[in-house]
């Protein structure tokens, strides 16, 4: 089924375009969420700088240009972005969540950029960008991982997990760690989740054998989205058969 878009949207899109720009970038709708109700349609708009690079983002809610939010410093490259319209802070209002890929983030920084626009009604409908705790800060605050011989202990949010790495086909396993730059975001039953790899270094490489994944449930504390008590679990990957 093809969703029809109100013609007024294309008029607005022309207004977003800077006609004095050269042909190095085009203004495009990168993603959209359709709706039968015109004021609930959501558009993620950006400058296409190359076949895989996007910048100068705009989030537009509705077709008439009443709710338009510009984010000139957002960047996306490679892989697919994600766009959600879900209530993730339990206030019955649907929020806008954007997940972009940032392969230019630098060493030690997440390759996924998440941006959250909380919906607010006071009394008029509007959106405000909400902060989210960086995954390295969450790990430092709530996770401890160490290795004793062939046993890796993961203490995640006061719950301990023991993994016998002798059952895995790891060559020269050394230090255990978590890779916060590999975080993946998803939404399940109205809860924002982050998934982070836990691994042991092997063969002098930066990353080695994967032990499993730490799953973070994010909650709104009135100021930012962050993990709270008993919101981190570990899911172990089963060893491959020899």
């Amino acid at each position: 089924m093809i969703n029809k878009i109100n013609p007024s949207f294309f008029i607005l899109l022309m207004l977003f375009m800077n006609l004095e720009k050269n042909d190095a970038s085009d203004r495009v709708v990168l993603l959209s969420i359709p709706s039968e109700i015109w004021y609930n349609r959501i558009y993620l708009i950006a400058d296409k700088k190359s076949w895989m690079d996007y910048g100068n983002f705009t989030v537009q809610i509705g077709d008439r240009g009443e709710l338009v939010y510009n984010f000139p410093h957002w960047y996306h490259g490679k892989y697919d972005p994600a766009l959600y319209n879900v209530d993730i802070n339990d206030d019955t209002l649907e929020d806008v969540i954007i997940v972009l890929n940032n392969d230019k983030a630098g060493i030690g920084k997440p390759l996924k950029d998440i941006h959250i626009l909380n919906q607010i009604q006071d009394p008029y409908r509007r959106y405000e960008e909400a902060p989210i705790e960086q995954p390295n800060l969450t790990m430092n605050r709530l996770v401890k991982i160490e290795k004793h011989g062939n046993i890796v202990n993961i203490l995640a949010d006061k719950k301990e997990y023991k993994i016998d790495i002798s059952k895995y086909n790891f060559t020269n396993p050394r230090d255990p760690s978590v890779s916060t730059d590999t975080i993946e975001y998803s939404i399940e039953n109205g809860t924002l989740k982050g998934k982070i790899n836990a691994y042991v270094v092997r063969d002098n490489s930066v990353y080695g054998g994967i032990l499993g994944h730490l799953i973070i449930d994010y909650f709104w504390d009135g100021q930012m989205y962050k993990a709270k008590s008993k919101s981190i679990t570990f899911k172990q990957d089963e060893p491959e058969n020899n």
Side-chain angles (χ1 to χ4, degrees), residues 166-185:
S166 66
K167 299 178 181 180
Y168 293 77
N169 294 320
F170 295 163
T171 302
N172 187 29
R174 298 188 290 114
D175 299 331
S177 186
V178 292
S179 175
T180 56
D181 60 349
T182 64
I183 189 168
E184 296 287 341
Y185 294 100

Side-chain angles (χ1 to χ4, degrees), residues 84 88 97 99 110 112-114 116 132-136 138-139 142-143 156-157 178-198 212-219 225-228 230-235:
Y84 305 93
I88 60 170
I97 302 95
V99 182
K112 297 293 184 181
D113 284 340
I114 183 167
I116 303 170
I132 180 171
E133 184 177 47
Q134 291 297 305
N136 61 320
T138 304
M139 293 296 101
L142 295 173
V143 176
D157 203 5
V178 292
S179 175
T180 56
D181 60 349
T182 64
I183 189 168
E184 296 287 341
Y185 294 100
S186 62
I187 297 175
E188 298 179 17
N189 299 320
T191 298
L192 175 64
K193 293 178 176 285
K195 183 172 76 172
I196 294 177
N197 290 343
H213 309 279
L214 289 158
I215 310 298
I216 307 170
D217 289 355
Y218 289 96
F219 299 90
Y225 287 91
K226 62 191 302 185
K228 63 180 182 180
K230 298 181 181 179
S231 63
I232 300 182
T233 56
F234 175 71
K235 302 289 186 182

Side-chain angles (χ1 to χ4, degrees), residues 6-240:
N6 192 305
S8 61
F9 167 71
F10 293 102
I11 297 174
L12 285 170
L13 189 56
M14 290 299 296
L15 293 176
F16 289 134
M17 297 178 65
N18 183 348
L19 299 179
E20 295 180 355
K21 287 183 179 179
N22 57 31
D23 294 333
S25 63
D26 296 317
R27 200 74 172 144
V28 299
V29 178
L30 189 57
L31 284 175
S32 66
I33 297 178
S35 173
E36 295 297 324
I37 304 172
W38 67 265
Y39 53 80
N40 283 338
R41 296 171 190 147
I42 299 174
Y43 305 95
L44 182 64
I45 305 166
D47 287 347
K48 184 176 182 180
K49 299 179 179 297
S50 72
W51 67 274
M52 67 176 186
D53 292 302
Y54 298 84
N56 190 25
F57 279 80
T58 294
V59 177
Q60 177 176 318
I61 294 96
D63 284 349
R64 296 182 182 175
E66 296 174 353
L67 295 174
V68 177
Y69 302 90
N70 297 311
F71 303 97
H73 302 299
W74 287 6
Y75 168 80
H76 175 75
K78 292 184 178 179
Y79 310 118
D80 292 329
L83 177 63
Y84 305 93
N85 186 209
V86 182
D87 174 20
I88 60 170
N89 61 2
D90 295 326
D91 64 355
T92 72
L93 302 175
E94 293 186 341
D95 311 298
V96 177
I97 302 95
I98 303 103
V99 182
L100 304 176
N101 186 70
N102 189 355
D103 57 319
K104 297 181 180 180
I107 297 175
K109 294 184 179 180
L111 296 178
K112 297 293 184 181
D113 284 340
I114 183 167
H115 305 282
I116 303 170
L117 303 183
N118 279 351
Q119 185 181 167
I120 298 170
Q121 291 183 2
D122 59 354
Y124 301 107
R125 185 187 189 199
R126 61 188 175 89
Y127 291 79
E128 285 186 356
E129 186 171 15
I132 180 171
E133 184 177 47
Q134 291 297 305
N136 61 320
L137 298 180
T138 304
M139 293 296 101
N140 291 339
R141 185 166 59 88
L142 295 173
V143 176
K144 182 178 181 181
I145 180 170
E146 56 187 19
K147 177 175 171 286
H148 301 284
N150 285 325
I151 303 299
V152 170
N153 293 325
I154 297 177
L155 184 64
D157 203 5
K158 300 180 181 180
K159 186 174 182 179
E160 188 173 16
Y161 304 85
K162 291 182 178 292
I163 304 106
D164 184 355
I165 60 174
S166 66
K167 299 178 181 180
Y168 293 77
N169 294 320
F170 295 163
T171 302
N172 187 29
R174 298 188 290 114
D175 299 331
S177 186
V178 292
S179 175
T180 56
D181 60 349
T182 64
I183 189 168
E184 296 287 341
Y185 294 100
S186 62
I187 297 175
E188 298 179 17
N189 299 320
T191 298
L192 175 64
K193 293 178 176 285
K195 183 172 76 172
I196 294 177
N197 290 343
Y199 62 93
V200 292
V201 175
R202 58 178 179 172
D203 294 333
N204 298 317
S205 63
V206 177
Y207 303 126
I210 299 295
L211 297 173
H213 309 279
L214 289 158
I215 310 298
I216 307 170
D217 289 355
Y218 289 96
F219 299 90
W220 177 246
D221 68 359
Q223 295 183 331
M224 72 183 307
Y225 287 91
K226 62 191 302 185
K228 63 180 182 180
S229 180
K230 298 181 181 179
S231 63
I232 300 182
T233 56
F234 175 71
K235 302 289 186 182
Q236 183 177 350
D237 279 10
E238 293 297 325
E240 295 182 359

